[in-house]
Amino acid sequence: MTQEKWGEIRQRLLKTVGQNNYKTWIEPIAPGNVEGGIATLHVPTNFFGNYVSQNFSDLILHEINAEGIVASRLNFALDPKGAVAAEPVAAKATQKAVAKEQPARQEVTTTAPLDPRFSFDNFVVGKPNELAHAAARRVAEGGPVTFNPLFLYGGVGLGKTHLMHAIAQELKQRKPEMNVLYLSAEQFMYRFVQALRDRKMMDFKELFRSVDVLMVDDVQFIAGKDSTQEEFFHTFNALVDQHKQIIISADRAPTDIKDLEERVQSRLQCGLVVDLHPTDYELRLGILQSKLEVQQKTYPGLVVADGVLEFLAHRITANVRVLEGALTRLFAFASLVGREIDMDLTQDCLVDVLRSNERKITVEEIQRKVSEHFNIRLSDMIGPKRLRSYARPRQIAMYLCKQLTTRSLPEIGRRFGGRDHTTVMHGVRRIEELKQSDGQIAEDLELLGRALKN
Ligand code: ADP
Ligand code: MG
């Protein structure tokens, strides 16, 4: 794609995404080639590429097509110039570490730019994330290290990176003299490999051992990568020994990360492990309300009809990023077509998002809900005990698994402590009968079914 064409496309994007988004997310993009229906765009960092891809790819593609370029997909590639520009940061930090001339003001070293929008102010706190938030706030004070590491984990898009950036930025403000290093586990590996290749392991070690706060995002990435794990382990230990704060995030708990050495797992657990739970309706609504204010600054005058936010909070449950993307898209489309954001527009504009967010109920969810409903322990419900007070809820859970998931009987059996499929079948039949004859059971099923589909 020529610079000229891209210039045209950019101008149009400016109108649809608004000045702020444009400056931050569109301007730094450089056009690449178009091949086999794929248009390549060069971006300065992976983080940047991901963000643009999640939030603006539809619009960009739309404008590219409108410019007469045939492409059905975008590919975000790292700008080779951008990658080179990242080098001096590492080099500078290393020199500092080696020279250690003056402990005066050291810059916060980051490989990925910290996103200013990922601040504590912009983080909406609700029940599912209050603990993680409180722990993040605590380490962001930069006081004496009380738990090391802080290990934050949770599913995709629940705010781990947001909290990490918030901590780094808060520390930067409160303690400008501290050397804070934030990077993804992938970047850690990349630097490690590069140091090996360039025979600069000493520099690498110096750099990582000279930080005051080390933050590594998405640590599950190094699972199965043996020498990176090994190096990470040593870095980790060296910093803990010096009472330097370490903050780690992952998409699951330390013990659930497969192919992570046991000694690394146990090291990761020795501080404070907190998880971000899946969002609930109230939190999603709160997040939407706060993002709405941001959007309205970009698109003054656009009106959102009553019920739209509630609808989104109800229907898009999986991931805050998707929720946020939906809102961005709604505003962009509404401003394009000059309409109010009402239910009709929402349905039109978000068909695909809404479809892919149709709730998929899992066996685990059913087991949890049923055990809560009957006030028994999950382990008792899945375990071998045959007492009626466990066996009946177990059968109810099996029945619901058969009804509400696509799992086969043997699969369900396996998840109920390795039971045989005939046991599951028997349980399902029993509940089918009882549903007709026992009013209490019918009511339990009704309640549970509703709670699960919500
Ligand atoms: P993760 O790293 O856990 O995959 P991110 O931190 O990248 O998730 O969050 C995804 C998006 O959702 C980001 O834009 C982030 O700002 C937003 N987000 C997540 N949780 C919250 C929250 N509690 N309040 C405000 N924004 C949130
Ligand atoms: Mg993340």
Side-chain angles (χ1 to χ4, degrees), residues 388 392 395 399 424-437 441:
R388 177 72 163 276
R392 190 66 84 220
Q395 290 177 326
Y399 170 85
V424 181
M425 197 161 61
H426 171 76
V428 172
R429 290 222 179 110
R430 184 85 192 105
I431 298 302
E432 270 163 2
E433 289 162 18
L434 286 171
K435 196 178 160 191
Q436 308 303 326
S437 59
I441 295 239

Side-chain angles (χ1 to χ4, degrees), residues 305-365:
D306 283 348
V308 169
L309 293 190
E310 288 77 3
F311 173 75
L312 294 178
H314 192 67
R315 290 291 301 276
I316 305 179
T317 53
N319 176 334
V320 179
R321 195 174 293 133
V322 177
L323 194 64
E324 208 177 73
L327 199 67
T328 308
R329 209 156 118 187
L330 273 181
F331 271 87
F333 272 89
S335 88
L336 262 177
V337 295
R339 273 166 60 186
E340 181 197 13
I341 301 178
D342 56 12
M343 290 302 287
D344 276 350
L345 183 98
T346 307
Q347 301 268 12
D348 285 353
C349 163
L350 301 176
V351 210
D352 52 334
V353 182
L354 293 171
R355 193 175 308 135
S356 71
N357 263 277
E358 265 165 22
R359 291 249 305 123
K360 290 191 194 68
I361 301 172
T362 64
V363 171
E364 288 71 24
E365 252 175 288

Side-chain angles (χ1 to χ4, degrees), residues 161 217-218 321:
T161 299
D217 206 351
D218 288 321
R321 195 174 293 133

Side-chain angles (χ1 to χ4, degrees), residues 151 153-154 250-258 260 265 269 273:
F151 188 98
Y153 76 93
D251 64 355
R252 63 202 80 170
T255 41
D256 293 338
I257 305 179
K258 261 199 265 155
L260 193 62
Q265 279 186 358
Q269 287 176 82
V273 178

